[in-house]
Amino acid sequence: GTVPADQRRRERTLFYQLFKKIGVGEEALKGVNSSNGTKVLWKATFEGEGGMDAGGLYRDSVREMCAELQSPAAGGLRLLIPTPNQRFGVGAGMDRWLLNPLRRDKEDLDMLCFLGLLMAAAMRHGSALELDLSPLVWKPLLGQEASWADLVAADEGWCGEVSRCRAVSDPAAWAELGKVWTVSASWGGAAELRRGGSRMPVAFSDRDEYLDACVAFRLKESAKQVEAVRGGLLRRIGTNVLPFVDWREVERMVCGTPEIDVAQLERMTSYGDNMPGGRSHKIADMFWRVMGSLSNQERALFVAFAWGRKRLPSQPGDAHLKLVVDRSLNDAHLPRSHTCFFVVDLPDYSSEAVMRDKLLYAIRHCSAIDMDSSALGALRDEDAEEDARLVSPSGERGERERRGS
């Protein structure tokens, strides 16, 4: 079976394979092709899975690559690390990631440059990266100053300790703290602020200088890594604009939005010819009631099931969902999706409860690509390059639903 993203060795990650194949030369990721209306930077093929890439496999590869980047696996890429707030489950920003300051050899920095090239491509072509980076990454990446509030959102515990130290006004109480000229780093270790600092006590009279140095270190901790990413980004994006753009807007352009807005999704949806009345058709109405009942995480799984990504594009016009009802299928069947075309075939379900149950099963468990010859047998000619997902659990009408059988 497919090795989960958080268990892949560095050399087996999609990110590393693409980096080695494409590189970071002047022409890297410069051009873009169109596949079935989707702008793609490469064609993807997954070992052990069928499917010809007409856009869906490309989107799957981008999603998998982002999952690899945001994985704490010891043998993986480790270009990103979780914020201390994420590691300890406290404060804000518990879903955010930082650039790893320990990744500083040439190959590491080249891979970070490649990440910057991917970000630029996402901004230019709408190929959203599902990344959750801290403002401590975004702001310096744009040439902007990160703030104390950004530090708190990444490491509330450490910032609280700094604040408590600043409040100490008694030399004896300060001495009891036993501070030396080192600082706790975001990755969990310690770094010296002065040569030999681990053996150098901080005098009470130097406490403000020491604490200011600690904060300055943490704000600039990944400066070398930021510059590597920035080098790739600025190769394709002009340098004059970024310092004046809000980092949240750049994040939206690069990463899309993790919030799946049901109203937005409905606006970008069309309906098959066999659904007279479109939105008012009973299956369509049932579908939107089900979508409204799902959590955002479940809606993101649906988008991934139907389109190959968990986020909608930053520009709504860049994707269109199509719903089709298949009256040959009933309550015993699961939905089918065609990720290259963002099309979902819905069985003619008898009730909202049945549809919700089947849809939840499909989005949680059906993620492999099915393009074996038996499934292809009844495909229409124009569908010959699509990637149909598994649509039935083992034991339910066989191991998988066969199209047209």
Side-chain angles (χ1 to χ4, degrees):
T2 303
V3 177
D6 61 356
Q7 296 178 23
R8 294 173 196 154
R9 300 190 313 276
R10 178 180 176 127
E11 294 75 15
R12 294 294 293 168
T13 61
L14 293 177
F15 182 92
Y16 188 80
Q17 292 177 60
L18 284 165
F19 160 71
K20 297 298 286 186
K21 182 75 173 179
I22 297 172
V24 292
E26 287 303 315
E27 298 301 311
L29 299 179
K30 190 173 184 178
V32 63
N33 297 311
S34 180
S35 181
N36 190 46
T38 296
K39 294 177 181 178
V40 301
L41 298 166
W42 58 79
K43 289 278 189 175
T45 302
F46 294 131
E47 290 182 1
E49 295 186 11
M52 292 179 291
D53 191 4
L57 293 182
Y58 169 76
R59 288 191 292 270
D60 271 334
S61 70
V62 173
R63 178 163 56 91
E64 284 292 309
M65 191 168 56
C66 293
E68 294 165 347
L69 284 166
Q70 294 189 163
S71 164
L77 294 165
R78 297 288 289 168
L79 295 175
L80 304 178
I81 56 174
T83 62
N85 281 0
Q86 182 184 157
R87 291 204 309 271
F88 300 118
V90 298
M94 285 192 286
D95 58 343
R96 297 286 180 165
W97 294 73
L98 301 167
L99 293 174
N100 188 347
L102 298 181
R103 291 302 191 192
R104 46 182 177 254
D105 67 24
K106 184 180 185 307
E107 186 173 62
D108 291 331
L109 297 178
D110 282 346
M111 283 194 287
L112 289 168
C113 178
F114 185 68
L115 175 58
L117 290 170
L118 289 170
M119 288 180 171
M123 293 179 70
R124 297 171 65 209
H125 307 304
S127 182
L129 304 178
E130 295 173 14
L131 296 175
D132 300 291
L133 302 177
S134 165
L136 292 173
V137 177
W138 287 115
K139 286 186 176 181
L141 190 59
L142 303 180
Q144 301 169 11
E145 291 291 330
S147 67
W148 172 257
D150 299 325
L151 276 178
V152 174
D155 195 347
E156 185 174 291
W158 180 83
C159 289
E161 180 183 354
V162 170
S163 295
R164 288 188 293 273
C165 288
R166 288 196 186 277
V168 174
S169 57
D170 178 65
W174 177 262
E176 289 180 3
L177 295 177
K179 294 295 182 181
V180 293
W181 284 88
T182 63
V183 58
S184 296
S186 61
W187 48 271
E192 290 189 334
L193 297 171
R194 293 180 177 180
R195 186 180 297 275
S198 60
R199 301 182 302 277
M200 189 183 302
V202 179
F204 178 72
S205 59
D206 294 331
R207 67 190 185 285
D208 288 336
E209 179 187 352
Y210 163 73
L211 294 171
D212 289 344
C214 288
V215 173
F217 175 88
R218 289 293 293 268
L219 288 172
K220 304 286 187 182
E221 187 177 14
S222 300
K224 191 176 186 68
Q225 292 71 29
V226 166
E227 280 306 305
V229 178
R230 184 176 165 85
L233 177 65
L234 295 185
R235 196 184 299 175
R236 303 284 181 260
I237 304 296
T239 60
N240 296 329
V241 175
L242 294 182
F244 306 102
V245 180
D246 187 86
W247 70 269
R248 297 174 189 84
E249 177 62 16
V250 175
E251 180 185 35
R252 187 187 66 82
M253 293 170 66
V254 173
C255 305
T257 173
E259 181 67 31
I260 304 299
D261 186 288
V262 176
Q264 178 188 346
L265 187 60
E266 187 174 341
R267 286 193 298 271
M268 56 191 282
T269 299
S270 62
Y271 304 90
D273 293 339
N274 63 352
M275 298 180 74
R279 171 63 177 83
S280 63
H281 188 276
K282 68 167 189 174
I283 293 297
D285 186 60
M286 194 184 298
F287 172 82
W288 291 114
R289 289 201 304 271
V290 169
M291 289 300 294
S293 73
L294 301 182
S295 67
N296 188 69
Q297 182 180 17
E298 290 165 338
R299 291 195 294 268
L301 288 175
F302 168 78
V303 173
F305 170 78
W307 196 47
R309 288 187 184 164
K310 289 184 177 180
R311 299 185 184 186
L312 297 176
S314 56
Q315 299 298 325
D318 289 345
H320 300 278
L321 170 65
K322 185 175 182 178
L323 297 179
V324 178
V325 63
D326 189 337
R327 292 192 178 88
S328 69
L329 304 179
N330 54 35
D331 289 355
H333 302 89
L334 297 175
R336 293 185 294 204
S337 71
H338 317 291
T339 59
C340 288
F341 304 99
F342 205 176
V343 173
V344 175
D345 297 335
L346 295 168
D348 194 9
Y349 291 123
S350 63
S351 71
E352 181 180 336
V354 172
M355 177 184 284
R356 190 177 196 279
D357 180 64
K358 297 297 183 181
L359 186 63
L360 284 173
Y361 188 97
I363 64 178
R364 289 169 176 166
H365 300 288
C366 303
S367 59
I369 303 301
D370 176 12
M371 268 295 277
D372 61 19
S373 57
S374 59
L376 271 172
L379 286 177
R380 302 183 304 277
D381 290 343
E382 63 267 31
D383 289 344
E385 289 190 354
E386 76 183 12
D387 47 320
R389 293 189 177 272
L390 293 182
V391 295
S392 182
S394 178
E396 188 171 313
R397 286 198 59 176
E399 182 179 354
R400 68 184 67 179
E401 187 67 33
R402 302 295 186 181
R403 289 186 55 128
S405 61

